């Protein structure tokens, strides 16, 4: 019995050490629950099932920003890993559809870090009020009714050639084709040393 308690305690300490080490590698962490840090180009947030997300965004609708820029100054020029949750609101159409949408992440040198053309958003019988496989419903200031949303976790490498001096600029730019029933938002943005 005593041996199992010691083993349990050792495993708990190991888990805490691993967790502390993982957190120590984070250079930037933004969950937007306590506001939007000054490094972002916009301060607009959206509540999605109790979570605060940066957004909504739609480049076709002047009521909201079309893109989000994150500018990080004074970082050592090296490789990093960027992760974030991309919230797709409404029925984003995948490549091959005549109204295909895109989501692209650029660095400050106009290099493409991510280009998405396939999306998990589906609706029944072309009816926006009948989303399939969604995470929940949300209403933005663009839509007259609640729309389904889907969450796409993203994790990508950001190489040192994305820097300009000691500045890393990241431009998140979704290009939906609809003005009111498609938008996007960001949450849980994290930049870490690999």
């Amino acid at each position: 019995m005593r041996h199992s308690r010691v083993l349990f305690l050792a495993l708990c300490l190991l888990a805490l050490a691993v967790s502390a080490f993982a957190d120590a590698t984070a250079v930037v962490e933004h969950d937007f629950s306590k506001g939007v840090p000054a490094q972002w180009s916009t301060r607009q947030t959206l509540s999605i099932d109790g979570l605060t997300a940066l957004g909504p965004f739609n480049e076709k609708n002047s009521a909201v920003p079309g893109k989000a820029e994150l500018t990080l100054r004074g970082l050592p020029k090296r490789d990093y890993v960027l992760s974030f949750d991309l919230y797709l609101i409404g029925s984003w159409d995948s490549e091959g559809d005549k109204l295909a949408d895109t989501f692209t992440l650029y660095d400050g040198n106009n290099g493409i870090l991510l280009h998405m053309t396939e999306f998990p958003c589906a609706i029944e019988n072309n009816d926006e009020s009948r989303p399939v496989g969604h995470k929940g419903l949300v209403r933005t200031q663009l839509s007259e009714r609640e729309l389904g949303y889907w969450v796409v976790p993203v994790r990508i490498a950001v190489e040192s050639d994305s820097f300009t001096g000691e500045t890393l600029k990241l431009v998140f730019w979704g290009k939906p084709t609809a003005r009111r029933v498609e938008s996007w938002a960001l949450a849980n943005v994290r930049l870490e040393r690999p």
Side-chain angles (χ1 to χ4, degrees), residues 9-185:
L9 181 59
L11 289 174
C12 288
L13 290 173
L14 179 61
L16 286 172
V18 168
S19 175
F21 178 77
D23 289 343
T25 63
V27 176
V28 172
E29 276 188 288
H30 297 161
D31 70 1
F32 310 114
S33 63
K34 295 180 180 154
V36 180
Q39 297 104 324
W40 288 93
S41 61
T42 182
R43 304 283 174 271
Q44 186 166 313
T45 59
L46 172 69
S47 179
I48 303 176
D49 284 340
L51 176 129
T52 302
L54 187 68
F57 299 94
N58 182 316
E59 74 160 12
K60 294 205 173 285
N61 195 316
S62 61
V64 296
K67 61 184 174 181
E69 297 180 4
L70 173 61
T71 304
L72 301 167
R73 293 182 173 82
L75 287 179
K77 186 174 181 175
R78 54 167 294 154
D79 293 350
Y80 291 92
V81 174
L82 174 70
S83 60
F84 59 92
D85 291 332
L86 175 61
Y87 282 72
L88 299 168
I89 301 165
S91 63
W92 284 57
D93 300 300
S94 294
E95 185 175 34
D97 188 284
K98 66 180 179 179
L99 296 175
D101 303 304
T102 62
F103 181 86
T104 308
L105 174 63
Y106 298 93
D107 65 21
N109 302 316
N110 290 321
I112 296 175
L113 302 175
L114 172 71
H115 184 68
M116 295 174 63
T117 59
E118 297 290 326
F119 305 100
C121 312
I123 57 174
E124 237 179 86
N125 299 325
N126 270 348
D127 184 349
E128 294 285 347
S129 66
R130 298 175 73 187
V132 177
H134 62 293
K135 295 290 184 186
L137 299 173
V138 64
R139 179 178 296 189
T140 71
Q141 63 264 46
L142 302 178
S143 59
E144 296 174 0
R145 63 184 180 277
E146 289 186 318
L147 299 169
Y149 71 86
W150 293 259
V151 182
V152 178
V154 176
R155 186 172 174 85
I156 59 167
V158 177
E159 297 179 356
S160 61
D161 60 0
S162 292
F163 279 74
T164 302
E166 291 185 347
T167 299
L168 175 62
K169 183 175 183 178
L170 301 170
V171 181
F172 302 80
W173 200 341
K175 296 182 180 179
T177 52
R179 293 183 67 241
R180 294 190 168 279
V181 294
E182 295 174 345
S183 58
W184 58 277

